[in-house]
Amino acid sequence: MILSIIIVNWNGKELTENCIESILLTNKERIENNEFEIIVVDNGSADGSIDYLKTFSGPVRLISNKKNTGYAPACNQGMKEASGKYVLLLGNDTVILDDALERCIKFLNENNNCGAAGCKLLNPDGTVQNNCKKFPKFINGFYTYLSLDSLNHEYDMDWFKYDETREVEQISTTFLMIRKSLLEKIGYFDESYKILYNDVDLCKRIWEAGSKIYFLNTAEVIHLGSQSTKKADFSLRKIMYKDIYRYYRRNFGLKAILLKPILAARLLFVSATK
């Protein structure tokens, strides 16, 4: 088994269906030869997703949770079941294009110092999304959650044109292909981050383990963008903001308390406007 593709689904039947179909269409031979497997972890969906996913067999496997366990725990379930040399964390709101998976596999095969690789994310109209960032400094928490994004120029890598393959500090786990041996070494996602910042924490641990993360400009997928979090109610959004505070508290110590009132106010504002 070369590649295990992990998809987490929560009431996203249509999105997940389109994602799976795009994988099957662009990687038919690999799937038929049992070189690729797709593991879908469903987080207690009630929209017909389970019935759809049960129609598959063979290389498409279903792990069904009775409730929404959160993104990180669900991903860990899938990653621990993966038997591929490489593991791809893939958002269900993506559509795989052409030979994107093959290009990432080839890059990892040829670059032993690369522990993980991401690709170019495209909007449906073909424009490029910004999916690479620096690791956040303490001040970036204030700029981000006070909506002062224009001050996050360096953190957001606004200068990067996504026209070259290069090392990056962190990249979105909407599409992140990782060596399974590395995941076993660093311990998968930290499940205390239920929804947010688990990807930042994972990328930090990849670098701390002595491996590099690369952005590949030659591999492309369409990303519809944050469809699950848009449906989050207040209770889920509260968990999301706890994740944010947890990251800054762990990485910057007691001074993270200064962020608490900003996060609380933003949570109430965002929830009131949804």
Side-chain angles (χ1 to χ4, degrees):
M1 184 69 67
I2 296 172
L3 180 65
S4 299
I5 303 168
I6 312 300
I7 301 169
V8 174
N9 177 67
W10 176 58
N11 292 325
K13 177 180 177 292
E14 183 176 346
L15 291 170
T16 299
E17 184 175 353
N18 289 337
C19 180
I20 291 175
E21 292 301 325
S22 73
I23 297 169
L24 298 177
L25 178 65
T26 55
N27 299 275
K28 184 178 180 180
E29 185 175 342
R30 292 284 205 179
I31 295 289
E32 290 177 348
N33 291 337
N34 292 316
E35 295 173 320
F36 287 8
E37 64 178 351
I38 303 170
I39 301 174
V40 183
V41 184
D42 185 84
N43 262 342
S45 295
D47 66 342
S49 292
I50 297 296
D51 290 337
Y52 163 70
L53 292 168
K54 283 182 176 178
T55 63
F56 289 101
S57 60
V60 182
R61 299 162 54 193
L62 169 65
I63 298 174
S64 181
N65 294 326
K66 293 183 178 180
K67 63 178 182 179
N68 192 339
T69 63
Y71 175 75
C75 276
N76 280 355
Q77 284 178 275
M79 287 191 284
K80 289 174 183 178
E81 290 290 322
S83 55
K85 178 181 180 181
Y86 304 119
V87 173
L88 174 64
L89 298 174
L90 184 66
N92 73 325
D93 53 355
T94 57
V95 176
I96 300 296
L97 300 177
D98 303 323
D99 54 354
L101 302 186
E102 294 290 352
R103 288 177 181 269
C104 288
I105 290 170
K106 184 175 186 290
F107 187 85
L108 284 162
N109 282 341
E110 294 176 351
N111 295 273
N112 292 329
N113 66 341
C114 178
C119 75
K120 187 182 294 184
L121 302 183
L122 302 176
N123 292 307
D125 64 1
T127 55
V128 179
Q129 297 179 10
N130 297 343
N131 63 321
C132 299
K133 294 179 182 291
K134 298 280 190 177
F135 290 127
K137 298 177 180 178
F138 185 55
I139 191 64
N140 297 126
F142 290 91
Y143 294 158
T144 299
Y145 301 108
L146 286 172
S147 296
L148 300 173
D149 295 322
S150 61
L151 300 178
N152 272 333
H153 175 74
E154 186 64 22
Y155 165 58
D156 286 335
M157 294 178 60
D158 288 340
W159 44 268
F160 183 38
K161 302 302 182 184
Y162 292 85
D163 56 355
E164 63 175 324
T165 292
R166 59 166 292 136
E167 292 178 24
V168 293
E169 290 185 6
Q170 61 157 313
I171 190 167
S172 169
T173 53
T174 297
F175 183 110
L176 186 61
M177 192 177 293
I178 316 168
R179 298 181 189 275
K180 178 66 184 294
S181 59
L182 177 59
L183 285 169
E184 292 172 339
K185 177 182 177 181
I186 66 176
Y188 304 98
F189 275 131
D190 180 341
E191 293 189 9
S192 63
Y193 297 100
K194 299 296 184 183
I195 302 172
L196 298 181
Y197 278 82
N198 39 62
D199 52 349
V200 188
D201 176 75
L202 182 68
C203 288
K204 279 180 70 70
R205 287 187 286 118
I206 289 173
W207 277 100
E208 288 167 357
S211 292
K212 296 182 177 182
I213 300 172
Y214 278 83
F215 163 80
L216 273 62
N217 73 311
T218 56
E220 300 178 338
V221 303
I222 295 172
H223 178 220
L224 302 178
S226 303
Q227 300 299 308
S228 292
T229 54
K230 288 178 181 177
K231 297 180 288 186
D233 57 15
F234 179 80
S235 62
L236 279 178
R237 290 189 181 278
K238 187 175 180 180
I239 293 171
M240 291 160 62
Y241 278 79
K242 284 183 177 179
D243 284 342
I244 297 167
Y245 178 73
R246 181 177 291 108
Y247 180 84
Y248 280 90
R249 179 69 172 81
R250 287 184 179 177
N251 287 275
F252 300 103
L254 287 173
K255 63 182 180 180
I257 293 173
L258 297 172
L259 274 174
K260 266 194 167 183
I262 294 171
L263 294 174
R266 186 178 176 93
L267 170 60
L268 292 174
F269 173 78
V270 172
S271 298
T273 56
K274 291 297 178 180

